[in-house]
PDB file of all heavy atoms in Angstrom:
ATOM      1  N   THR A  22       8.544 -20.071  14.295  1.00 95.00           N
ATOM      2  CA  THR A  22       9.519 -19.903  13.219  1.00 95.00           C
ATOM      3  C   THR A  22      10.425 -18.790  13.309  1.00 95.00           C
ATOM      4  O   THR A  22      11.441 -18.866  12.731  1.00 95.00           O
ATOM      5  CB  THR A  22       8.754 -19.888  11.926  1.00 95.00           C
ATOM      6  OG1 THR A  22       8.166 -18.530  11.819  1.00 95.00           O
ATOM      7  CG2 THR A  22       7.701 -20.889  11.759  1.00 95.00           C
ATOM      8  N   GLY A  23      10.152 -17.834  14.190  1.00 95.00           N
ATOM      9  CA  GLY A  23      11.020 -16.635  14.358  1.00 95.00           C
ATOM     10  C   GLY A  23      10.884 -15.682  13.174  1.00 95.00           C
ATOM     11  O   GLY A  23      11.577 -14.704  13.068  1.00 95.00           O
ATOM     12  N   ARG A  24      10.042 -16.046  12.064  1.00 97.00           N
ATOM     13  CA  ARG A  24       9.758 -15.221  11.075  1.00 97.00           C
ATOM     14  C   ARG A  24       8.533 -14.285  11.215  1.00 97.00           C
ATOM     15  O   ARG A  24       7.929 -14.320  12.305  1.00 97.00           O
ATOM     16  CB  ARG A  24       9.620 -16.016   9.691  1.00 97.00           C
ATOM     17  CG  ARG A  24      10.692 -16.936   9.375  1.00 97.00           C
ATOM     18  CD  ARG A  24      12.080 -16.338   9.295  1.00 97.00           C
ATOM     19  NE  ARG A  24      12.228 -15.201   8.456  1.00 97.00           N
ATOM     20  CZ  ARG A  24      13.196 -14.369   8.290  1.00 97.00           C
ATOM     21  NH1 ARG A  24      14.425 -14.747   8.931  1.00 97.00           N
ATOM     22  NH2 ARG A  24      13.387 -13.391   7.520  1.00 97.00           N
ATOM     23  N   ARG A  25       8.326 -13.454  10.235  1.00 98.00           N
ATOM     24  CA  ARG A  25       7.154 -12.476  10.477  1.00 98.00           C
ATOM     25  C   ARG A  25       6.164 -12.831   9.409  1.00 98.00           C
ATOM     26  O   ARG A  25       6.369 -13.124   8.261  1.00 98.00           O
ATOM     27  CB  ARG A  25       7.751 -10.969  10.249  1.00 98.00           C
ATOM     28  CG  ARG A  25       8.549 -10.535  11.528  1.00 98.00           C
ATOM     29  CD  ARG A  25       9.102  -9.087  11.201  1.00 98.00           C
ATOM     30  NE  ARG A  25      10.178  -9.111  10.295  1.00 98.00           N
ATOM     31  CZ  ARG A  25      11.406  -9.053  10.479  1.00 98.00           C
ATOM     32  NH1 ARG A  25      11.831  -8.842  11.882  1.00 98.00           N
ATOM     33  NH2 ARG A  25      12.460  -9.000   9.575  1.00 98.00           N
ATOM     34  N   ILE A  26       4.909 -12.411   9.843  1.00 98.00           N
ATOM     35  CA  ILE A  26       3.697 -12.449   8.776  1.00 98.00           C
ATOM     36  C   ILE A  26       3.127 -11.166   8.779  1.00 98.00           C
ATOM     37  O   ILE A  26       2.856 -10.602   9.910  1.00 98.00           O
ATOM     38  CB  ILE A  26       2.716 -13.582   9.273  1.00 98.00           C
ATOM     39  CG1 ILE A  26       3.325 -14.981   9.198  1.00 98.00           C
ATOM     40  CG2 ILE A  26       1.525 -13.393   8.364  1.00 98.00           C
ATOM     41  CD1 ILE A  26       2.392 -16.124   9.468  1.00 98.00           C
ATOM     42  N   GLY A  27       2.937 -10.649   7.600  1.00 96.00           N
ATOM     43  CA  GLY A  27       2.183  -9.305   7.575  1.00 96.00           C
ATOM     44  C   GLY A  27       0.750  -9.498   6.880  1.00 96.00           C
ATOM     45  O   GLY A  27       0.596 -10.435   6.157  1.00 96.00           O
ATOM     46  N   PHE A  28       0.005  -8.530   7.356  1.00 96.00           N
ATOM     47  CA  PHE A  28      -1.366  -8.478   6.635  1.00 96.00           C
ATOM     48  C   PHE A  28      -1.609  -7.148   5.984  1.00 96.00           C
ATOM     49  O   PHE A  28      -1.538  -6.214   6.529  1.00 96.00           O
ATOM     50  CB  PHE A  28      -2.322  -8.802   7.710  1.00 96.00           C
ATOM     51  CG  PHE A  28      -2.195 -10.085   8.508  1.00 96.00           C
ATOM     52  CD1 PHE A  28      -1.369 -10.144   9.650  1.00 96.00           C
ATOM     53  CD2 PHE A  28      -2.742 -11.345   8.071  1.00 96.00           C
ATOM     54  CE1 PHE A  28      -1.053 -11.371  10.272  1.00 96.00           C
ATOM     55  CE2 PHE A  28      -2.623 -12.431   8.677  1.00 96.00           C
ATOM     56  CZ  PHE A  28      -1.691 -12.494   9.881  1.00 96.00           C
ATOM     57  N   ILE A  29      -1.999  -7.342   4.764  1.00 91.00           N
ATOM     58  CA  ILE A  29      -2.342  -6.129   3.978  1.00 91.00           C
ATOM     59  C   ILE A  29      -3.848  -6.096   3.636  1.00 91.00           C
ATOM     60  O   ILE A  29      -4.349  -6.971   2.997  1.00 91.00           O
ATOM     61  CB  ILE A  29      -1.582  -5.984   2.543  1.00 91.00           C
ATOM     62  CG1 ILE A  29      -0.125  -5.643   2.863  1.00 91.00           C
ATOM     63  CG2 ILE A  29      -2.203  -4.802   1.755  1.00 91.00           C
ATOM     64  CD1 ILE A  29       0.721  -5.559   1.685  1.00 91.00           C
ATOM     65  N   THR A  30      -4.522  -5.257   4.294  1.00 86.00           N
ATOM     66  CA  THR A  30      -6.034  -5.297   4.313  1.00 86.00           C
ATOM     67  C   THR A  30      -6.703  -4.054   3.756  1.00 86.00           C
ATOM     68  O   THR A  30      -7.323  -3.304   4.600  1.00 86.00           O
ATOM     69  CB  THR A  30      -6.493  -5.561   5.838  1.00 86.00           C
ATOM     70  OG1 THR A  30      -5.875  -4.401   6.565  1.00 86.00           O
ATOM     71  CG2 THR A  30      -6.015  -6.979   6.438  1.00 86.00           C
ATOM     72  N   PRO A  31      -6.732  -3.950   2.346  1.00 66.00           N
ATOM     73  CA  PRO A  31      -7.268  -2.700   1.929  1.00 66.00           C
ATOM     74  C   PRO A  31      -8.848  -2.625   2.052  1.00 66.00           C
ATOM     75  O   PRO A  31      -9.370  -1.495   1.879  1.00 66.00           O
ATOM     76  CB  PRO A  31      -6.932  -2.925   0.382  1.00 66.00           C
ATOM     77  CG  PRO A  31      -6.712  -4.247   0.127  1.00 66.00           C
ATOM     78  CD  PRO A  31      -6.153  -4.887   1.370  1.00 66.00           C
ATOM     79  N   LEU A  32      -9.438  -3.780   2.391  1.00 55.00           N
ATOM     80  CA  LEU A  32     -10.937  -3.777   2.389  1.00 55.00           C
ATOM     81  C   LEU A  32     -11.317  -3.824   3.820  1.00 55.00           C
ATOM     82  O   LEU A  32     -12.278  -3.029   4.246  1.00 55.00           O
ATOM     83  CB  LEU A  32     -11.487  -4.946   1.630  1.00 55.00           C
ATOM     84  CG  LEU A  32     -11.130  -4.714   0.019  1.00 55.00           C
ATOM     85  CD1 LEU A  32     -11.316  -5.976  -0.731  1.00 55.00           C
ATOM     86  CD2 LEU A  32     -12.181  -3.679  -0.641  1.00 55.00           C
ATOM     87  N   THR A  33     -10.916  -4.781   4.589  1.00 49.00           N
ATOM     88  CA  THR A  33     -11.410  -4.957   5.939  1.00 49.00           C
ATOM     89  C   THR A  33     -10.827  -3.927   6.943  1.00 49.00           C
ATOM     90  O   THR A  33     -11.493  -3.540   7.909  1.00 49.00           O
ATOM     91  CB  THR A  33     -11.009  -6.381   6.521  1.00 49.00           C
ATOM     92  OG1 THR A  33      -9.743  -6.552   6.333  1.00 49.00           O
ATOM     93  CG2 THR A  33     -11.761  -7.408   5.733  1.00 49.00           C
ATOM     94  N   HIS A  34      -9.633  -3.332   6.516  1.00 49.00           N
ATOM     95  CA  HIS A  34      -9.099  -2.336   7.488  1.00 49.00           C
ATOM     96  C   HIS A  34      -8.079  -1.547   6.511  1.00 49.00           C
ATOM     97  O   HIS A  34      -7.017  -1.952   6.344  1.00 49.00           O
ATOM     98  CB  HIS A  34      -8.408  -2.939   8.634  1.00 49.00           C
ATOM     99  CG  HIS A  34      -7.780  -1.864   9.674  1.00 49.00           C
ATOM    100  ND1 HIS A  34      -6.805  -1.114   9.279  1.00 49.00           N
ATOM    101  CD2 HIS A  34      -8.263  -1.443  10.823  1.00 49.00           C
ATOM    102  CE1 HIS A  34      -6.458  -0.237  10.407  1.00 49.00           C
ATOM    103  NE2 HIS A  34      -7.425  -0.463  11.292  1.00 49.00           N
ATOM    104  N   ASN A  35      -8.464  -0.490   6.132  1.00 51.00           N
ATOM    105  CA  ASN A  35      -7.549   0.322   5.154  1.00 51.00           C
ATOM    106  C   ASN A  35      -6.208   0.705   5.803  1.00 51.00           C
ATOM    107  O   ASN A  35      -6.219   0.861   7.010  1.00 51.00           O
ATOM    108  CB  ASN A  35      -8.291   1.344   4.403  1.00 51.00           C
ATOM    109  CG  ASN A  35      -8.539   2.629   5.195  1.00 51.00           C
ATOM    110  OD1 ASN A  35      -7.617   3.107   5.802  1.00 51.00           O
ATOM    111  ND2 ASN A  35      -9.678   3.159   4.973  1.00 51.00           N
ATOM    112  N   PHE A  36      -5.234   1.085   4.987  1.00 54.00           N
ATOM    113  CA  PHE A  36      -3.900   1.287   5.559  1.00 54.00           C
ATOM    114  C   PHE A  36      -3.536   2.735   5.177  1.00 54.00           C
ATOM    115  O   PHE A  36      -2.457   3.034   4.855  1.00 54.00           O
ATOM    116  CB  PHE A  36      -2.816   0.271   4.838  1.00 54.00           C
ATOM    117  CG  PHE A  36      -3.136  -0.004   3.489  1.00 54.00           C
ATOM    118  CD1 PHE A  36      -3.023   0.871   2.481  1.00 54.00           C
ATOM    119  CD2 PHE A  36      -3.526  -1.350   3.163  1.00 54.00           C
ATOM    120  CE1 PHE A  36      -3.179   0.592   1.165  1.00 54.00           C
ATOM    121  CE2 PHE A  36      -3.856  -1.648   1.733  1.00 54.00           C
ATOM    122  CZ  PHE A  36      -3.520  -0.598   0.798  1.00 54.00           C
ATOM    123  N   CYS A  37      -4.390   3.696   5.055  1.00 68.00           N
ATOM    124  CA  CYS A  37      -4.293   5.053   4.592  1.00 68.00           C
ATOM    125  C   CYS A  37      -3.706   5.993   5.633  1.00 68.00           C
ATOM    126  O   CYS A  37      -3.082   7.040   5.182  1.00 68.00           O
ATOM    127  CB  CYS A  37      -5.621   5.401   4.124  1.00 68.00           C
ATOM    128  SG  CYS A  37      -6.312   4.503   2.799  1.00 68.00           S
ATOM    129  N   GLU A  38      -3.955   5.743   6.859  1.00 71.00           N
ATOM    130  CA  GLU A  38      -3.553   6.858   7.855  1.00 71.00           C
ATOM    131  C   GLU A  38      -2.145   7.253   7.787  1.00 71.00           C
ATOM    132  O   GLU A  38      -1.861   8.394   8.167  1.00 71.00           O
ATOM    133  CB  GLU A  38      -4.080   6.532   9.193  1.00 71.00           C
ATOM    134  CG  GLU A  38      -3.361   5.340   9.932  1.00 71.00           C
ATOM    135  CD  GLU A  38      -3.931   3.996   9.582  1.00 71.00           C
ATOM    136  OE1 GLU A  38      -4.837   3.916   8.614  1.00 71.00           O
ATOM    137  OE2 GLU A  38      -3.258   2.921  10.074  1.00 71.00           O
ATOM    138  N   SER A  39      -1.167   6.339   7.445  1.00 76.00           N
ATOM    139  CA  SER A  39       0.244   6.666   7.484  1.00 76.00           C
ATOM    140  C   SER A  39       0.774   6.538   6.094  1.00 76.00           C
ATOM    141  O   SER A  39       2.020   6.209   5.999  1.00 76.00           O
ATOM    142  CB  SER A  39       0.842   5.657   8.468  1.00 76.00           C
ATOM    143  OG  SER A  39       0.694   4.365   8.104  1.00 76.00           O
ATOM    144  N   CYS A  40      -0.006   6.649   5.015  1.00 87.00           N
ATOM    145  CA  CYS A  40       0.378   6.385   3.681  1.00 87.00           C
ATOM    146  C   CYS A  40       1.563   7.342   3.351  1.00 87.00           C
ATOM    147  O   CYS A  40       1.424   8.654   3.385  1.00 87.00           O
ATOM    148  CB  CYS A  40      -0.708   6.548   2.722  1.00 87.00           C
ATOM    149  SG  CYS A  40      -0.167   6.174   1.008  1.00 87.00           S
ATOM    150  N   ASN A  41       2.607   6.867   2.906  1.00 91.00           N
ATOM    151  CA  ASN A  41       3.836   7.575   2.535  1.00 91.00           C
ATOM    152  C   ASN A  41       4.201   7.383   1.048  1.00 91.00           C
ATOM    153  O   ASN A  41       5.208   7.615   0.557  1.00 91.00           O
ATOM    154  CB  ASN A  41       5.096   7.269   3.354  1.00 91.00           C
ATOM    155  CG  ASN A  41       5.431   5.809   3.290  1.00 91.00           C
ATOM    156  OD1 ASN A  41       4.720   4.906   2.741  1.00 91.00           O
ATOM    157  ND2 ASN A  41       6.706   5.558   3.681  1.00 91.00           N
ATOM    158  N   ARG A  42       3.296   6.741   0.314  1.00 93.00           N
ATOM    159  CA  ARG A  42       3.532   6.247  -1.044  1.00 93.00           C
ATOM    160  C   ARG A  42       2.869   6.987  -2.222  1.00 93.00           C
ATOM    161  O   ARG A  42       1.766   7.442  -2.031  1.00 93.00           O
ATOM    162  CB  ARG A  42       3.146   4.661  -1.017  1.00 93.00           C
ATOM    163  CG  ARG A  42       3.884   3.819  -0.215  1.00 93.00           C
ATOM    164  CD  ARG A  42       3.333   2.471  -0.047  1.00 93.00           C
ATOM    165  NE  ARG A  42       1.825   2.385   0.401  1.00 93.00           N
ATOM    166  CZ  ARG A  42       1.601   2.653   1.767  1.00 93.00           C
ATOM    167  NH1 ARG A  42       2.567   2.909   2.669  1.00 93.00           N
ATOM    168  NH2 ARG A  42       0.314   2.555   2.020  1.00 93.00           N
ATOM    169  N   VAL A  43       3.524   6.979  -3.257  1.00 96.00           N
ATOM    170  CA  VAL A  43       2.854   7.322  -4.671  1.00 96.00           C
ATOM    171  C   VAL A  43       3.422   6.363  -5.566  1.00 96.00           C
ATOM    172  O   VAL A  43       4.386   5.578  -5.408  1.00 96.00           O
ATOM    173  CB  VAL A  43       3.276   8.697  -5.131  1.00 96.00           C
ATOM    174  CG1 VAL A  43       2.585   9.886  -4.123  1.00 96.00           C
ATOM    175  CG2 VAL A  43       4.748   9.016  -5.016  1.00 96.00           C
ATOM    176  N   ARG A  44       2.587   6.222  -6.703  1.00 96.00           N
ATOM    177  CA  ARG A  44       3.005   5.076  -7.787  1.00 96.00           C
ATOM    178  C   ARG A  44       3.016   5.800  -9.124  1.00 96.00           C
ATOM    179  O   ARG A  44       2.189   6.587  -9.554  1.00 96.00           O
ATOM    180  CB  ARG A  44       1.750   4.161  -7.726  1.00 96.00           C
ATOM    181  CG  ARG A  44       1.700   3.302  -6.397  1.00 96.00           C
ATOM    182  CD  ARG A  44       0.511   2.586  -6.382  1.00 96.00           C
ATOM    183  NE  ARG A  44       0.380   1.863  -5.112  1.00 96.00           N
ATOM    184  CZ  ARG A  44       0.699   0.581  -4.845  1.00 96.00           C
ATOM    185  NH1 ARG A  44       1.114  -0.149  -5.885  1.00 96.00           N
ATOM    186  NH2 ARG A  44       0.434   0.099  -3.683  1.00 96.00           N
ATOM    187  N   LEU A  45       4.096   5.503  -9.757  1.00 97.00           N
ATOM    188  CA  LEU A  45       4.381   5.860 -11.218  1.00 97.00           C
ATOM    189  C   LEU A  45       4.050   4.793 -12.153  1.00 97.00           C
ATOM    190  O   LEU A  45       4.656   3.810 -12.007  1.00 97.00           O
ATOM    191  CB  LEU A  45       5.853   6.422 -11.353  1.00 97.00           C
ATOM    192  CG  LEU A  45       6.218   6.859 -12.632  1.00 97.00           C
ATOM    193  CD1 LEU A  45       5.510   8.172 -12.940  1.00 97.00           C
ATOM    194  CD2 LEU A  45       7.704   6.965 -12.934  1.00 97.00           C
ATOM    195  N   THR A  46       3.117   5.032 -13.098  1.00 96.00           N
ATOM    196  CA  THR A  46       2.926   3.930 -14.076  1.00 96.00           C
ATOM    197  C   THR A  46       3.865   3.876 -15.215  1.00 96.00           C
ATOM    198  O   THR A  46       4.710   4.773 -15.267  1.00 96.00           O
ATOM    199  CB  THR A  46       1.488   4.154 -14.598  1.00 96.00           C
ATOM    200  OG1 THR A  46       1.542   5.233 -15.558  1.00 96.00           O
ATOM    201  CG2 THR A  46       0.385   4.540 -13.607  1.00 96.00           C
ATOM    202  N   ALA A  47       3.784   2.893 -15.961  1.00 96.00           N
ATOM    203  CA  ALA A  47       4.755   2.737 -17.045  1.00 96.00           C
ATOM    204  C   ALA A  47       4.594   3.777 -18.071  1.00 96.00           C
ATOM    205  O   ALA A  47       5.490   4.068 -18.828  1.00 96.00           O
ATOM    206  CB  ALA A  47       4.538   1.371 -17.714  1.00 96.00           C
ATOM    207  N   THR A  48       3.367   4.402 -18.059  1.00 96.00           N
ATOM    208  CA  THR A  48       3.100   5.500 -19.031  1.00 96.00           C
ATOM    209  C   THR A  48       3.538   6.880 -18.406  1.00 96.00           C
ATOM    210  O   THR A  48       3.353   7.872 -19.130  1.00 96.00           O
ATOM    211  CB  THR A  48       1.706   5.528 -19.455  1.00 96.00           C
ATOM    212  OG1 THR A  48       0.836   5.903 -18.320  1.00 96.00           O
ATOM    213  CG2 THR A  48       1.250   4.153 -20.095  1.00 96.00           C
ATOM    214  N   GLY A  49       3.892   6.910 -17.269  1.00 97.00           N
ATOM    215  CA  GLY A  49       4.430   8.115 -16.631  1.00 97.00           C
ATOM    216  C   GLY A  49       3.315   8.867 -15.949  1.00 97.00           C
ATOM    217  O   GLY A  49       3.446  10.032 -15.573  1.00 97.00           O
ATOM    218  N   ARG A  50       2.105   8.196 -15.665  1.00 97.00           N
ATOM    219  CA  ARG A  50       1.093   8.833 -14.826  1.00 97.00           C
ATOM    220  C   ARG A  50       1.434   8.551 -13.342  1.00 97.00           C
ATOM    221  O   ARG A  50       1.732   7.465 -12.914  1.00 97.00           O
ATOM    222  CB  ARG A  50      -0.315   8.390 -15.182  1.00 97.00           C
ATOM    223  CG  ARG A  50      -0.668   8.741 -16.694  1.00 97.00           C
ATOM    224  CD  ARG A  50      -2.143   8.878 -16.771  1.00 97.00           C
ATOM    225  NE  ARG A  50      -2.576  10.105 -16.125  1.00 97.00           N
ATOM    226  CZ  ARG A  50      -2.584  11.301 -16.626  1.00 97.00           C
ATOM    227  NH1 ARG A  50      -2.149  11.370 -18.039  1.00 97.00           N
ATOM    228  NH2 ARG A  50      -2.863  12.410 -16.251  1.00 97.00           N
ATOM    229  N   LEU A  51       1.295   9.712 -12.559  1.00 97.00           N
ATOM    230  CA  LEU A  51       1.578   9.534 -11.159  1.00 97.00           C
ATOM    231  C   LEU A  51       0.224   9.372 -10.400  1.00 97.00           C
ATOM    232  O   LEU A  51      -0.575  10.314 -10.484  1.00 97.00           O
ATOM    233  CB  LEU A  51       2.364  10.702 -10.589  1.00 97.00           C
ATOM    234  CG  LEU A  51       2.673  10.603  -9.059  1.00 97.00           C
ATOM    235  CD1 LEU A  51       3.865   9.735  -8.873  1.00 97.00           C
ATOM    236  CD2 LEU A  51       3.155  11.875  -8.575  1.00 97.00           C
ATOM    237  N   TYR A  52       0.027   8.168  -9.725  1.00 96.00           N
ATOM    238  CA  TYR A  52      -1.225   8.109  -8.968  1.00 96.00           C
ATOM    239  C   TYR A  52      -0.734   8.414  -7.406  1.00 96.00           C
ATOM    240  O   TYR A  52       0.076   7.792  -6.876  1.00 96.00           O
ATOM    241  CB  TYR A  52      -1.754   6.648  -9.140  1.00 96.00           C
ATOM    242  CG  TYR A  52      -2.526   6.619 -10.442  1.00 96.00           C
ATOM    243  CD1 TYR A  52      -1.856   6.234 -11.565  1.00 96.00           C
ATOM    244  CD2 TYR A  52      -3.920   7.006 -10.499  1.00 96.00           C
ATOM    245  CE1 TYR A  52      -2.516   6.151 -12.735  1.00 96.00           C
ATOM    246  CE2 TYR A  52      -4.488   6.817 -11.799  1.00 96.00           C
ATOM    247  CZ  TYR A  52      -3.833   6.388 -12.859  1.00 96.00           C
ATOM    248  OH  TYR A  52      -4.493   6.333 -13.976  1.00 96.00           O
ATOM    249  N   MET A  53      -1.480   9.374  -6.832  1.00 94.00           N
ATOM    250  CA  MET A  53      -1.202   9.636  -5.528  1.00 94.00           C
ATOM    251  C   MET A  53      -1.879   8.718  -4.611  1.00 94.00           C
ATOM    252  O   MET A  53      -1.564   8.619  -3.392  1.00 94.00           O
ATOM    253  CB  MET A  53      -1.614  11.076  -5.248  1.00 94.00           C
ATOM    254  CG  MET A  53      -0.825  12.137  -5.897  1.00 94.00           C
ATOM    255  SD  MET A  53      -0.917  12.191  -7.614  1.00 94.00           S
ATOM    256  CE  MET A  53      -2.448  13.031  -7.865  1.00 94.00           C
ATOM    257  N   CYS A  54      -2.806   7.885  -5.106  1.00 90.00           N
ATOM    258  CA  CYS A  54      -3.463   6.897  -4.313  1.00 90.00           C
ATOM    259  C   CYS A  54      -3.781   5.676  -5.137  1.00 90.00           C
ATOM    260  O   CYS A  54      -4.392   5.864  -6.259  1.00 90.00           O
ATOM    261  CB  CYS A  54      -4.763   7.356  -3.759  1.00 90.00           C
ATOM    262  SG  CYS A  54      -5.785   6.268  -2.772  1.00 90.00           S
TER     263      CYS A  54
END
């Protein structure tokens, strides 16, 4: 197809080693993980 398929595997293979993300909730709490 020429398209890409990605796999997000938080359980079988976590994706933490290169994590560059943080998450802000609707209430203003910042979760670093």
Side-chain angles (χ1 to χ4, degrees):
T22 68
R24 306 308 306 180
R25 289 176 286 260
I26 294 179
F28 300 90
I29 296 181
T30 54
L32 295 163
T33 56
H34 184 287
N35 76 46
F36 39 68
C37 304
E38 67 274 4
S39 59
C40 182
N41 63 343
R42 297 169 296 286
V43 290
R44 295 170 185 259
L45 181 71
T46 73
T48 62
R50 297 212 71 87
L51 183 73
Y52 283 92
M53 288 68 76
C54 174

